[in-house]
Amino acid sequence: MVELQIKDKRGNIIKYQLGDGRHLLGKSRVCDILLMDHFVSRRHAELLVVDDAVYLFDRNSTNGTWVGNKKTSGVIRLGYDSLVRLGWLEMSIHPLLYEFSVRTGHACKLNEFGKNGAAENSLNVHQLHQPEGNKKSKVLKKKIRN
């Protein structure tokens, strides 16, 4: 798994945890990651994650996909130092140091996961981010791939 960070022109950053597989980026509802920018196409680009390797493919977008200062064509392997630009958005890939377990509701270091997906010595995310007395939070339950 890797972490995808997307930064808009105002400096807001959104982070995604990407597992192995294909991830479609764009403005369309069918995309895995929605990009709200006027210069991004409906199906702008695709990321392929295989283990810790990330590959980028521009899907013939109108304004193109830029890695560094070069417009991309074909498939490009991204490194952790690569800066990708899609419209006004800047995207970067980072190694995943922590994984959030939606099944247990805990944030854990990757090496703390056991065979059943539970973590030992982990922090309860709801204690960190929820005000006291707020009992209405829901935890999304998904199966986590090990």
Side-chain angles (χ1 to χ4, degrees), residues 41-122:
S41 298
R42 286 183 295 246
R43 293 182 178 105
H44 195 100
E46 195 169 338
L47 290 173
L48 174 64
V49 180
V50 181
D51 296 327
D52 288 333
V54 181
Y55 301 91
L56 173 71
F57 174 69
D58 182 82
R59 295 179 53 100
N60 296 320
S61 61
T62 304
N63 295 312
T65 302
W66 300 76
V67 177
N69 292 325
K70 295 183 181 180
K71 192 172 182 178
T72 65
S73 60
V75 177
I76 293 181
R77 183 174 179 172
L78 298 177
Y80 291 134
D81 58 345
S82 301
L83 184 64
V84 179
R85 195 166 41 87
L86 301 94
W88 286 101
L89 301 174
E90 292 180 351
M91 184 174 77
S92 57
I93 303 291
H94 302 276
L96 187 62
L97 302 177
Y98 291 88
E99 182 172 314
F100 178 72
S101 169
V102 292
R103 185 170 62 185
T104 62
H106 293 86
C108 342
K109 291 182 181 178
L110 287 177
N111 60 359
E112 292 176 351
F113 276 99
K115 292 181 181 178
N116 60 359
E120 298 176 16
N121 302 324
S122 59

Side-chain angles (χ1 to χ4, degrees), residues 100 105 107 123-132 134 137:
F100 178 72
L123 299 173
N124 188 331
V125 173
H126 294 291
Q127 291 173 350
L128 297 175
H129 298 291
Q130 296 289 330
E132 290 291 326
N134 185 359
S137 66

